[in-house]
Amino acid sequence: MIINHPLLGPRDAAEFYVMGDADLINRPDPDAEGAAEAFYEYAYLRDNPAGEHRELWYHEQGDRSWLVVTRSTLTHEIMNVEMARDVALAKGRGQ
Amino acid sequence: MPDMLTAEPFLGGYTLDLGDVAVAEVTDISIVSIAMPLGGGDALANAVQAAWGCALPAPRGTSVSSDGSVTLIFSTPDQTLAILPGVDGLAVTDVAAKLGDVGYYTEQTDNWVGLRASGAKSISALERICPLDLASMSVGGAERTVMEHLGVFIMREDDERFLLLSGSSSAKSFLHAVELSMRNVT
């Protein structure tokens, strides 16, 4: 599988480590009401879609960046690759 | 007072020339990593420009100081690896003094073993153990990748000359992988 890294171009999947569902970026606010339930869902509950899936991939043998890779679990086609830092910053993180 | 110990190169300054391809341990460089403080990109870039007369390297690339003595390799968007002339002792103190309080500097010299691969068959030898398309790499280009499961910085110094940096703790395994691949293509 080839992942088209936004900065570095097409790279072999062997350079990466896959971390699973990209929803891990959305860590709940520990001070919010219902935080325990939110953290339970965050830590343990995952969708298992047949089709489009957003995943975190770590470029361990490369520039050490985290990527959000949107791919199909049915065909392995990769639809989109983003820098995870850009995704997180767009959500207002890093303030 | 006890005698001071003298550091030896990790591979004893190993060299091998197979005709069409050759490998030699690089023992005359110092390495310092330069990390960018959060929001401090411009200050660091300005300091590098003032001290070495060059910009920070772009992704997949390097940048060379105006006097040719320092090469900066892109490692991540917030970090660069500086390859400097070898010095006795620490290079990081010189870099910190030269650039000032605009980055986080870490001595890396002892962490990396350097190999220089050269010759007409250098690409043939290296592409067998590396997932990158080395033929399309431009001179002055640099990448971080794997060779035989070992992490490697590879920099194309010339058409037929590459600088390889890998972890010094696995220096002999790395040399073995590179040398075996070279023997397999000659």
Side-chain angles (χ1 to χ4, degrees):
Chain A
M1 195 162 81
I2 302 288
I3 295 173
N4 195 12
H5 192 295
L7 293 178
L8 306 176
R11 308 294 289 225
D12 194 290
E15 293 183 355
F16 292 84
Y17 170 79
V18 62
M19 185 72 182
D21 197 331
D23 211 35
L24 282 171
I25 290 178
N26 305 318
R27 194 163 74 101
D29 178 359
D31 297 324
E33 202 168 320
E37 180 68 17
F39 266 95
Y40 164 71
E41 292 184 8
Y42 172 77
Y44 296 113
L45 302 187
R46 298 279 184 277
D47 291 335
N48 185 23
E52 191 172 309
H53 190 34
R54 297 177 83 230
E55 293 170 335
L56 284 170
W57 286 71
Y58 178 51
H59 199 192
E60 186 171 26
Q61 299 291 4
D63 74 339
R64 310 288 167 106
S65 59
W66 287 89
L67 304 181
V68 176
V69 176
T70 308
R71 70 179 185 100
S72 169
T73 57
L74 296 175
T75 64
H76 300 307
E77 180 195 1
I78 293 177
M79 283 83 100
N80 193 25
V81 184
E82 305 155 272
M83 300 290 285
R85 72 154 73 186
D86 295 340
V87 174
L89 289 173
K91 290 173 182 292
R93 296 271 298 278
Q95 300 299 317
Chain B
M1 185 178 164
D3 292 338
M4 294 298 286
L5 298 174
T6 306
E8 293 288 325
F10 299 110
L11 299 167
Y14 187 82
T15 60
L16 175 74
D17 190 343
L18 296 169
D20 286 335
V21 64
V23 63
E25 184 184 5
V26 179
T27 57
D28 58 351
I29 56 172
S30 298
I31 306 171
V32 173
S33 69
I34 302 171
M36 190 184 288
L38 185 62
D42 288 345
L44 180 60
N46 291 339
V48 166
Q49 187 72 46
W52 291 323
C54 65
L56 288 170
R60 314 183 73 186
T62 57
S63 114
V64 181
S65 65
S66 51
D67 67 358
S69 67
V70 181
T71 301
L72 302 175
I73 296 180
F74 175 89
S75 57
T76 83
D78 293 336
Q79 190 195 56
T80 182
L81 212 57
I83 313 289
L84 307 115
V87 293
D88 284 334
L90 297 176
V92 67
T93 45
D94 298 341
V95 172
K98 191 137 194 170
L99 294 183
D101 195 17
V102 293
Y104 304 121
Y105 314 111
T106 310
E107 182 73 35
Q108 297 270 357
T109 308
D110 276 354
N111 303 351
W112 299 91
V113 62
L115 292 180
R116 186 162 278 119
S118 57
K121 288 196 171 169
S122 50
I123 289 183
S124 309
L126 294 176
E127 71 183 1
R128 294 164 69 108
I129 52 173
C130 161
L132 296 178
D133 178 10
L134 297 180
S136 71
M137 191 176 191
S138 55
V139 172
E143 301 272 14
R144 191 173 194 176
T145 184
V146 272
M147 290 188 179
E148 287 283 326
H149 74 264
L150 297 169
V152 178
F153 274 105
I154 177 167
M155 183 182 132
R156 189 169 196 173
E157 296 179 318
D158 207 340
D159 280 342
E160 294 178 352
R161 196 171 78 237
F162 293 86
L163 174 67
L164 313 174
L165 300 174
S166 190
S168 57
S169 58
S170 47
K172 287 181 180 171
S173 301
F174 181 54
L175 174 64
H176 174 76
V178 172
E179 180 176 335
L180 187 65
S181 191
M182 287 181 169
R183 290 187 185 279
N184 284 339
V185 298
T186 51

